[in-house]
Structure formats: structure tokens, C-alpha cells
């Protein structure tokens, strides 16, 4: 009798737990409305996105939509519909464009849904525990996650990448975002289990299994602060960018450029043009022979700061872009872009004009974007010594362009680290606007302007690849070591012996 009562109580508890989760899923969206959303998504991409068919043909894109259409045969929750359309991002293949769950889902996930209680680190196609935020403190950071609820951790991680955005075929950019916020990405695709059964290999190589409860995001943040003194940030937020800095030791200088934002400044308080002038003057007068240009974690920025740096690194006149264009200056169903409003079309009409089959920037808009079509001349103190460029998956957008220009015009430059997240030949961004589909409220960020970089190689769909791939091991990451910088310094020292 006691066993029967216990079974009933346990069953009731599970039903209540799952009922709460189901309630948080929101309302079921009728089949007709799901089809309306899918067709609207397709139409908006086709009429707004500046480079939709760069990596995927129209026929293949149409086939992908047709496959989704066939699966819309029952009412769905918005997150179910999201899981069907999310793989389209690996057809669009533009890291500035993205398909995001509804704001309702994100708010529920942030405040009410328990999630994976570990921060992770991804290296060599393996997923490690970087910080233990669970209630089981016996799990040590550095442990290898082999399976999660019976599924290989590597398969899960790659599935999340396959459902997220990237430039072309690149995987270092989505890998960084997912690795840094695995708990946030996991429920979008894999669901919301109340607990996780995990097979681990601990830091001593001993296999063990643990079962941990999923925890609220608020709880994870509190544990991270108390246990590690760390303020956790979601994938879409960066820590405040540090200023551009220069450090010189003997004949080697390290120039750290964390952003190409138009408002960027050096650590001396000067804006980027004046900082670069003084920095490269100092590099020359102190007899620096080796320059390490650190572009890691630089998410991009604007054309003028790129040119200001490149003019000190390339000893010939350069033009940054070969072509800049969009495919429209008027967007249908503008009400879907609720945070921009009807004024958006008015603004687009002011700076984009039709020329043949494309829309180019008017002269006034070119000035606003900082575009320069006349060649930028080399700076007086252009560096002519040994150049080493450090990059990683977060080297995105404009940083991919800078890497592409250096690959083209600085043939002897040595690249160390990871493939850049940003494509070196093409960047579709410029004007980025967010729409919400009318029924599911799934959000779609559109990119209106395509920038083709003036490089001397073709687009192979990948970022600028390193000559020497180097990334922290989990052990190095745990102690805060910078293996990429150390490898480069050792390489320089060995060359000069």
C-alpha cells in the first residue's frame, strides 16, 4: 500500500512539474498561422537580405522552406516552430543575420525555466566543465563531459551550431558563442529537462556519472558570483571593450585592438587616429622589429578605424571595398519591424538609390558609413618589420575584413590562433533591423547592406585561417594562461636565435 501511495505521489509530482513547463510554453499556434509565418519569413528574406544566395542557391533555399512546410501539419508552440526554422540559419550563412526565439520564450527561460548548471569550454571537439554552478560541488572544473542525458556531448554541441548563425561555413564564431553560454542555447533546441544525467571523465581521467538538477538562471548567476567571483553575461553581451593599447619589450611590440568602432580610443585617451600615429611613431623610434597585432575578441566596427590601422601596416595605397550594395530601399510589411517603425523606409530612401538591379549608397550615406573610394595612402610611419596577427572565433565582422586585407597585402604576415569568425571577403551588415513574425513572434534580424572587401582571393566560405592554429587547452583556460600569445613570443624568440 505504501509503495502504491508513493508511486501516486511521485507520478503526481512529475505531472505537476511537466504541467508547469507546458504552461510556460504559451498557446498553441494554429496550422494556418504557422504557414503564414513561414511564408512571411521567406518573403522578407528574399526581398530585404542583401546577399541571401551567396552560399546557398535559390533552388536549395526553396527546398529547405518546402521541407519545413511539409512539417507544419499540427498546431505548435512558438518554440516548436522555432526549432523547425532555426536550421535555415545554416542556409543563410550570414553571421549578422539571425533567427531568435520569441521574446516571450526568452523571458520565460530567463526567469522561470531551470537550465543546465555548468559553464562550458569547447576545444578540440570536446566539451569541458569550465565552472561548476550545480548543487553538486564534487564535480570539478576541467572535467570532460562525455554524455548529457544519454546523448554524446559533442553531437549536442554540433547540433546547436547547426541551428545557429555563422558567416559562410565558419564554425569558430558560433562555437564561441555557444560555448560561452551553453545553458542558454541548450533549451532552445534540446528542451527543458528538470535534471541532467551526465557521464564525465574527471581531471584524473576517472569516469563517473552524476545526476544534477537544472537550476534557474538567477540561481546560476548567484552561484557564479559567490563561488567564482564572476558576473555572468549572456552570449549577446560583451564586457566593456578595453582601449587600444601598445606595449613594447625590447624589439617586440604588442598592439591590442579590441574594436574598430568609430568612437574607439587608445589607453592614452586619444581617439584612434591620433593614437595610431603616436603608437607607430614610437614603434619606429624604438627600433621594433616584431609587431604582434592582437585582434582576438574584436567583434568589428567601422571602415575608417580599419583604414587608419591598415595604413600603418600596408605600404601601398589601398581601397577597402570593391562593392557596397543592397537590394531594396523600401520594406514591405514595415509594421513587423516594430522597433523601427514607418520612419525606417523614409530613412532607407534617403541613403539608398537604385542603380540597375541593385541599390547603392548615396554620397551623403557613404560619408555617414565612412566609406572612402579614393585610395588610402600609407602612413608616414608604416611598419615594415615582422608582423604577427592573433585571431579567434570572436574576430568578427570588420575584423574579418582587416584580416582579409592583411592576407592580401602583407604576404609575410604570420597568423596565429583560430580562424576568424568574420568572413574576409564579404560582410553583410551595415543596416541591421529586427522583425517579429506576426503569429509566433519569432524574431529575425535582417542585414540590408553587403560589403565586398577588396581582397585578391576568392570567397571559400571560411574566415581568415591561421598559419599556426593555437587555442588554450582546458587546463590553460582554467588558470587564465594565454597560450596564443606565449606561442607567438616563443616563435619570435626562436627565430631570432
Amino acid at each position: 500500500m505504501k509503495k502504491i501511495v508513493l508511486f501516486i505521489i511521485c507520478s503526481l509530482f512529475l505531472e505537476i512539474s511537466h504541467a508547469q513547463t507546458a504552461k510556460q510554453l504559451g498557446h498553441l499556434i494554429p496550422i494556418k498561422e504557422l504557414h503564414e509565418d513561414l511564408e512571411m519569413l521567406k518573403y522578407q528574406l528574399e526581398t530585404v537580405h542583401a546577399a541571401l544566395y551567396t552560399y546557398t542557391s535559390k533552388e536549395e533555399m526553396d527546398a529547405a522552406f518546402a521541407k519545413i512546410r511539409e512539417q507544419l501539419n499540427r498546431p505548435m508552440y512558438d518554440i516548436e516552430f522555432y526549432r523547425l526554422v532555426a536550421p535555415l540559419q545554416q542556409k543563410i550563412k550570414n553571421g549578422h543575420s539571425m533567427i531568435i526565439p520569441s521574446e516571450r520564450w526568452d523571458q520565460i527561460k530567463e526567469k522561470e525555466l531551470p537550465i543546465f548548471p555548468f559553464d562550458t569550454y569547447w576545444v578540440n571537439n570536446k566539451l569541458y566543465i569550465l565552472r561548476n554552478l550545480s548543487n553538486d560541488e564534487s564535480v570539478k572544473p576541467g572535467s570532460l563531459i562525455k554524455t548529457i542525458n544519454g546523448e554524446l556531448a559533442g553531437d549536442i554541441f554540433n547540433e546547436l551550431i547547426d541551428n545557429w548563425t555563422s558567416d559562410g561555413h565558419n564554425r569558430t564564431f558560433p562555437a564561441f558563442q555557444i560555448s560561452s553560454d551553453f545553458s542558454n542555447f541548450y533549451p532552445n533546441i534540446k528542451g527543458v529537462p528538470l535534471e541532467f544525467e551526465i557521464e564525465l571523465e574527471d581531471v584524473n581521467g576517472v569516469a563517473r556519472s552524476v545526476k544534477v538538477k537544472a537550476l534557474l538562471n538567477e540561481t546560476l548567476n548567484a552561484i557564479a558570483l559567490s563561488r567564482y567571483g564572476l558576473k555572468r553575461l549572456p552570449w549577446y553581451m560583451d564586457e566593456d571593450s578595453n582601449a587600444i593599447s601598445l606595449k613594447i619589450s625590447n624589439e617586440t611590440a604588442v598592439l591590442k585592438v579590441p574594436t574598430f568602432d568609430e568612437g574607439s580610443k587608445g589607453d592614452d585617451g586619444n581617439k584612434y587616429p591620433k593614437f595610431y600615429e603616436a603608437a607607430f611613431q614610437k614603434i619606429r623610434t624604438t627600433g621594433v622589429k616584431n609587431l604582434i597585432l592582437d585582434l582576438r575578441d574584436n567583434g568589428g566596427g567601422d571602415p575608417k578605424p580599419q583604414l587608419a590601422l591598415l595604413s600603418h601596416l600596408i605600404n601601398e595605397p589601398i581601397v577597402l571595398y570593391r562593392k557596397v550594395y543592397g537590394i531594396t530601399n523600401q520594406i514591405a510589411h514595415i509594421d513587423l519591424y516594430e522597433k523601427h517603425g514607418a520612419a525606417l523606409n523614409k530613412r532607407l530612401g534617403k541613403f539608398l538609390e537604385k542603380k540597375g538591379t541593385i541599390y547603392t549608397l548615396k554620397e551623403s550615406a557613404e560619408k555617414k558609413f565612412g566609406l572612402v573610394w579614393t585610395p588610402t595612402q600609407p602612413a608616414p610611419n608604416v611598419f615594415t618589420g615582422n608582423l604577427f596577427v592573433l585571431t579567434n572565433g570572436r574576430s568578427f565582422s570588420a575584423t574579418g575584413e582587416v584580416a582579409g586585407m592583411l592576407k592580401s597585402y602583407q604576404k609575410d604576415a604570420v597568423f596565429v590562433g583560430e580562424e576568424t569568425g568574420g568572413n574576409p571577403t564579404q560582410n553583410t551588415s551595415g543596416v541591421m533591423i529586427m522583425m517579429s513574425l506576426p503569429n509566433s513572434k519569432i524574431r529575425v534580424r535582417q542585414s540590408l547592406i553587403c560589403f565586398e572587401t577588396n581582397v585578391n582571393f576568392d570567397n571559400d566560405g571560411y574566415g581568415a585561417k591561421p598559419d599556426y592554429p593555437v587555442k588554450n587547452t582546458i587546463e590553460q583556460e582554467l588558470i587564465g594562461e594565454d597560450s596564443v600569445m606565449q606561442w607567438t613570443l616563443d616563435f619570435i624568440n626562436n627565430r631570432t636565435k
Side-chain angles (χ1 to χ4, degrees):
M1 182 65 181
K2 287 182 179 179
K3 289 183 179 179
I4 295 174
V5 172
L6 181 61
F7 173 77
I8 293 172
I9 291 172
C10 291
S11 300
L12 182 60
F13 173 75
L14 289 173
E15 287 176 7
I16 291 171
S17 299
H18 288 289
Q20 288 173 336
T21 302
K23 186 177 180 181
Q24 291 158 346
L25 289 172
H27 72 281
L28 284 168
I29 303 168
I31 297 174
K32 180 175 178 292
E33 293 182 3
L34 293 171
H35 280 276
E36 289 173 356
D37 275 13
L38 185 65
E39 298 313 310
M40 181 60 72
L41 172 60
K42 187 172 188 291
Y43 175 79
Q44 289 292 320
L45 287 171
E46 291 173 341
T47 58
V48 175
H49 196 287
L52 184 61
Y53 303 118
T54 299
Y55 303 102
T56 302
S57 68
K58 187 178 188 308
E59 292 73 22
E60 188 180 350
M61 190 74 74
D62 288 346
F65 272 93
K67 185 177 179 180
I68 297 171
R69 199 175 290 121
E70 291 174 359
Q71 298 176 74
L72 301 181
N73 52 15
R74 61 176 177 83
M76 295 181 183
Y77 297 108
D78 61 70
I79 193 61
E80 292 181 288
F81 181 59
Y82 173 78
R83 289 167 187 155
L84 290 181
V85 298
L88 290 171
Q89 296 178 97
Q90 283 301 314
K91 299 295 183 183
I92 300 167
K93 291 183 178 292
N94 172 41
H96 289 88
S97 302
M98 56 187 66
I99 303 174
I100 311 172
S102 68
E103 190 171 354
R104 184 204 68 80
W105 169 261
D106 272 356
Q107 289 176 349
I108 291 290
K109 183 176 62 176
E110 174 74 17
K111 297 177 181 178
E112 299 182 29
L113 297 181
I115 56 179
F116 189 74
F118 299 99
D119 286 343
T120 63
Y121 182 68
W122 176 254
V123 61
N124 294 330
N125 293 313
K126 293 180 180 180
L127 190 64
Y128 293 89
I129 292 174
L130 184 62
R131 284 176 287 271
N132 177 8
L133 308 179
S134 76
N135 292 328
D136 184 351
E137 294 191 49
S138 71
V139 178
K140 301 303 179 185
S143 298
L144 171 66
I145 303 174
K146 303 195 79 171
T147 68
I148 301 174
N149 290 344
E151 190 172 357
L152 291 173
D155 289 349
I156 293 172
F157 197 90
N158 282 299
E159 182 182 356
L160 297 182
I161 289 180
D162 292 338
N163 284 273
W164 192 232
T165 187
S166 68
D167 267 5
H169 316 309
N170 169 266
R171 294 178 82 81
T172 60
F173 176 67
F176 175 84
Q177 291 188 322
I178 293 167
S179 177
S180 66
D181 202 2
F182 184 84
S183 298
N184 193 354
F185 281 94
Y186 184 95
N188 293 347
I189 302 301
K190 303 300 293 181
V192 189
L194 297 178
E195 64 180 13
F196 294 92
E197 190 166 346
I198 304 172
E199 290 183 11
L200 300 170
E201 184 178 294
D202 70 18
V203 293
N204 297 314
V206 178
R208 61 174 296 202
S209 296
V210 297
K211 188 176 288 187
V212 295
K213 290 183 178 180
L215 299 174
L216 294 177
N217 188 64
E218 181 181 27
T219 304
L220 300 186
N221 291 340
I223 293 174
L225 194 60
S226 64
R227 197 174 288 174
Y228 298 100
L230 176 76
K231 182 179 180 181
R232 297 172 79 237
L233 294 174
W235 64 270
Y236 51 84
M237 288 181 64
D238 289 326
E239 296 180 12
D240 293 336
S241 293
N242 295 321
I244 310 167
S245 63
L246 175 70
K247 295 180 180 179
I248 298 177
S249 178
N250 299 322
E251 295 180 333
T252 298
V254 177
L255 180 62
K256 173 67 176 175
V257 183
T259 179
F260 289 112
D261 186 83
E262 179 62 36
S264 59
K265 295 181 179 181
D267 56 6
D268 60 359
N270 287 315
K271 283 204 68 177
Y272 67 87
K274 192 171 182 180
F275 177 85
Y276 286 136
E277 288 174 13
F280 281 90
Q281 173 66 31
K282 188 175 182 181
I283 286 171
R284 170 169 286 190
T285 57
T286 54
V288 168
K289 294 181 179 179
N290 306 292
L291 175 59
I292 300 173
L293 175 61
D294 191 350
L295 298 178
R296 292 175 296 171
D297 301 331
N298 184 328
D302 304 301
K304 282 185 178 179
Q306 294 180 65
L307 286 169
L309 174 63
L310 290 170
S311 68
H312 289 87
L313 298 172
I314 297 174
N315 200 14
E316 62 179 282
I318 56 170
V319 176
L320 183 57
Y321 297 117
R322 179 181 293 119
K323 192 177 180 181
V324 178
Y325 61 92
I327 63 169
T328 186
N329 69 353
Q330 294 295 294
I331 298 174
H333 306 285
I334 196 66
D335 54 304
L336 296 177
Y337 299 85
E338 54 194 42
K339 293 183 180 179
H340 303 276
L344 174 62
N345 273 339
K346 187 176 180 180
R347 292 197 299 273
L348 291 176
K350 284 183 177 180
F351 67 76
L352 281 168
E353 59 184 354
K354 191 169 186 179
K355 286 189 178 179
T357 59
I358 61 173
Y359 287 78
T360 60
L361 294 174
K362 295 179 180 179
E363 186 176 349
S364 59
E366 288 181 348
K367 291 180 180 178
K368 184 176 180 180
F369 275 90
L371 298 181
V372 180
W373 295 110
T374 55
T376 297
Q377 301 298 318
N381 291 308
V382 64
F383 180 72
T384 57
N386 303 315
L387 179 63
F388 302 85
V389 185
L390 311 188
T391 60
N392 64 7
R394 289 188 77 190
S395 303
F396 185 63
S397 191
T399 310
E401 296 173 347
V402 168
M405 294 295 284
L406 293 175
K407 286 273 188 181
S408 290
Y409 298 98
Q410 266 276 24
K411 295 296 185 182
D412 293 329
V414 176
F415 281 70
V416 184
E418 284 186 295
E419 175 190 339
T420 61
N423 187 277
T425 68
Q426 179 178 299
N427 169 10
T428 306
S429 57
V431 177
M432 291 171 288
I433 53 177
M434 187 79 77
M435 77 166 179
S436 297
L437 294 176
N439 302 303
S440 64
K441 303 303 179 184
I442 286 171
R443 293 165 291 173
V444 182
R445 191 167 81 169
Q446 292 264 47
S447 302
L448 272 70
I449 310 294
C450 182
F451 301 82
E452 294 184 4
T453 319
N454 194 26
V455 295
N456 58 16
F457 53 88
D458 295 331
N459 184 1
D460 64 1
Y462 293 95
K465 293 182 178 179
D467 300 299
Y468 298 96
V470 183
K471 185 177 180 179
N472 270 2
T473 63
I474 180 60
E475 293 81 10
Q476 291 167 328
E477 191 70 13
L478 286 171
I479 63 175
E481 187 174 320
D482 188 348
S483 63
V484 179
M485 182 64 74
Q486 190 58 55
W487 187 97
T488 308
L489 292 171
D490 291 343
F491 183 84
I492 291 170
N493 291 333
N494 290 333
R495 289 217 311 190
T496 57
K497 286 181 180 178

